[in-house]
PDB file of all heavy atoms in Angstrom:
ATOM      1  N   ILE F 108      27.375 -28.684   0.606  1.00  0.00           N
ATOM      2  CA  ILE F 108      27.724 -30.004   0.061  1.00  0.00           C
ATOM      3  C   ILE F 108      28.358 -30.862   1.153  1.00  0.00           C
ATOM      4  O   ILE F 108      28.072 -32.048   1.289  1.00  0.00           O
ATOM      5  CB  ILE F 108      28.681 -29.846  -1.147  1.00  0.00           C
ATOM      6  CG1 ILE F 108      27.959 -29.052  -2.228  1.00  0.00           C
ATOM      7  CG2 ILE F 108      29.196 -31.217  -1.605  1.00  0.00           C
ATOM      8  CD1 ILE F 108      27.876 -29.623  -3.583  1.00  0.00           C
ATOM      9  N   PHE F 111      25.274 -31.934   3.269  1.00  0.00           N
ATOM     10  CA  PHE F 111      24.207 -32.778   2.708  1.00  0.00           C
ATOM     11  C   PHE F 111      24.684 -33.725   1.613  1.00  0.00           C
ATOM     12  O   PHE F 111      23.880 -34.458   1.052  1.00  0.00           O
ATOM     13  CB  PHE F 111      23.072 -31.905   2.156  1.00  0.00           C
ATOM     14  CG  PHE F 111      22.416 -31.057   3.210  1.00  0.00           C
ATOM     15  CD1 PHE F 111      22.721 -29.717   3.331  1.00  0.00           C
ATOM     16  CD2 PHE F 111      21.517 -31.625   4.112  1.00  0.00           C
ATOM     17  CE1 PHE F 111      22.137 -28.935   4.308  1.00  0.00           C
ATOM     18  CE2 PHE F 111      20.922 -30.848   5.092  1.00  0.00           C
ATOM     19  CZ  PHE F 111      21.237 -29.497   5.199  1.00  0.00           C
ATOM     20  N   GLY F 112      25.972 -33.664   1.261  1.00  0.00           N
ATOM     21  CA  GLY F 112      26.484 -34.576   0.238  1.00  0.00           C
ATOM     22  C   GLY F 112      26.029 -34.164  -1.154  1.00  0.00           C
ATOM     23  O   GLY F 112      25.464 -33.094  -1.356  1.00  0.00           O
ATOM     24  N   TYR F 113      26.285 -35.080  -2.090  1.00  0.00           N
ATOM     25  CA  TYR F 113      25.993 -34.769  -3.505  1.00  0.00           C
ATOM     26  C   TYR F 113      24.527 -35.040  -3.826  1.00  0.00           C
ATOM     27  O   TYR F 113      24.208 -35.825  -4.711  1.00  0.00           O
ATOM     28  CB  TYR F 113      26.914 -35.553  -4.431  1.00  0.00           C
ATOM     29  CG  TYR F 113      28.365 -35.137  -4.309  1.00  0.00           C
ATOM     30  CD1 TYR F 113      29.380 -36.088  -4.185  1.00  0.00           C
ATOM     31  CD2 TYR F 113      28.709 -33.796  -4.306  1.00  0.00           C
ATOM     32  CE1 TYR F 113      30.703 -35.693  -4.065  1.00  0.00           C
ATOM     33  CE2 TYR F 113      30.027 -33.398  -4.183  1.00  0.00           C
ATOM     34  CZ  TYR F 113      31.022 -34.351  -4.068  1.00  0.00           C
ATOM     35  OH  TYR F 113      32.336 -33.963  -3.944  1.00  0.00           O
ATOM     36  N   THR F 114      23.631 -34.384  -3.070  1.00  0.00           N
ATOM     37  CA  THR F 114      22.192 -34.571  -3.304  1.00  0.00           C
ATOM     38  C   THR F 114      21.608 -33.292  -3.907  1.00  0.00           C
ATOM     39  O   THR F 114      22.356 -32.366  -4.212  1.00  0.00           O
ATOM     40  CB  THR F 114      21.483 -34.843  -1.966  1.00  0.00           C
ATOM     41  OG1 THR F 114      21.739 -33.737  -1.098  1.00  0.00           O
ATOM     42  CG2 THR F 114      22.004 -36.117  -1.320  1.00  0.00           C
ATOM     43  N   VAL F 115      20.303 -33.251  -4.056  1.00  0.00           N
ATOM     44  CA  VAL F 115      19.668 -32.033  -4.570  1.00  0.00           C
ATOM     45  C   VAL F 115      19.589 -30.955  -3.494  1.00  0.00           C
ATOM     46  O   VAL F 115      19.443 -29.773  -3.806  1.00  0.00           O
ATOM     47  CB  VAL F 115      18.230 -32.301  -5.110  1.00  0.00           C
ATOM     48  CG1 VAL F 115      18.285 -33.188  -6.337  1.00  0.00           C
ATOM     49  CG2 VAL F 115      17.332 -32.881  -4.031  1.00  0.00           C
ATOM     50  N   LYS F 118      21.870 -27.718  -3.527  1.00  0.00           N
ATOM     51  CA  LYS F 118      21.520 -26.815  -4.634  1.00  0.00           C
ATOM     52  C   LYS F 118      20.278 -26.006  -4.289  1.00  0.00           C
ATOM     53  O   LYS F 118      20.211 -24.792  -4.506  1.00  0.00           O
ATOM     54  CB  LYS F 118      21.259 -27.610  -5.925  1.00  0.00           C
ATOM     55  CG  LYS F 118      22.503 -28.238  -6.541  1.00  0.00           C
ATOM     56  CD  LYS F 118      22.770 -29.632  -6.028  1.00  0.00           C
ATOM     57  CE  LYS F 118      23.901 -30.303  -6.789  1.00  0.00           C
ATOM     58  NZ  LYS F 118      24.202 -31.649  -6.231  1.00  0.00           N
ATOM     59  N   GLY F 194      29.570 -29.654  -7.009  1.00  0.00           N
ATOM     60  CA  GLY F 194      29.654 -31.103  -6.830  1.00  0.00           C
ATOM     61  C   GLY F 194      28.397 -31.814  -7.244  1.00  0.00           C
ATOM     62  O   GLY F 194      27.318 -31.250  -7.251  1.00  0.00           O
ATOM     63  N   GLY F 195      28.557 -33.070  -7.607  1.00  0.00           N
ATOM     64  CA  GLY F 195      27.407 -33.876  -7.984  1.00  0.00           C
ATOM     65  C   GLY F 195      27.531 -34.373  -9.410  1.00  0.00           C
ATOM     66  O   GLY F 195      28.426 -33.947 -10.159  1.00  0.00           O
TER      67      GLY F 195
END
Side-chain angles (χ1 to χ4, degrees):
Chain F
I108 298 234
F111 298 101
Y113 294 133
T114 58
V115 294
K118 290 90 172 177

